Amino acid sequence: MKTEEFDKAFDEGSDSIDDVVQWDKGQRPDLKTKSINLDFPAWMIKALDKEAARLGVTHQTVDL
């Protein structure tokens, strides 16, 4: 789409976002997961397990 066509479509109120964004190629940087090991006190693990049970998830998925 040429600039003039885009400007005209925009001025007419057309939704032209699909003309400029390639949705199938979009990426968000730094969202890959990486495993790490952490040591927590026992009381904190119990608190995480309690919250996980309340949410119905595993303690690994509880967002701190």
Side-chain angles (χ1 to χ4, degrees):
M1 175 181 276
K2 294 187 177 190
T3 305
E4 295 82 18
E5 295 169 340
F6 181 82
D7 288 343
K8 182 179 178 186
F10 180 81
D11 291 340
E12 293 173 351
S14 175
D15 182 12
S16 51
I17 190 72
D18 291 330
D19 296 323
V20 293
V21 176
Q22 295 177 338
W23 297 107
D24 59 331
K25 295 182 181 178
Q27 296 181 10
R28 294 183 67 193
D30 296 327
L31 290 183
K32 293 180 181 176
T33 59
K34 185 173 183 178
S35 296
I36 61 170
N37 292 320
L38 296 174
D39 293 323
F40 289 112
W43 67 266
M44 190 176 289
I45 299 298
K46 288 179 184 177
L48 283 172
D49 286 340
K50 183 178 178 182
E51 181 66 8
R54 186 185 71 80
L55 296 171
V57 298
T58 65
H59 68 247
Q60 290 92 346
T61 59
V62 174
D63 189 12
L64 300 175

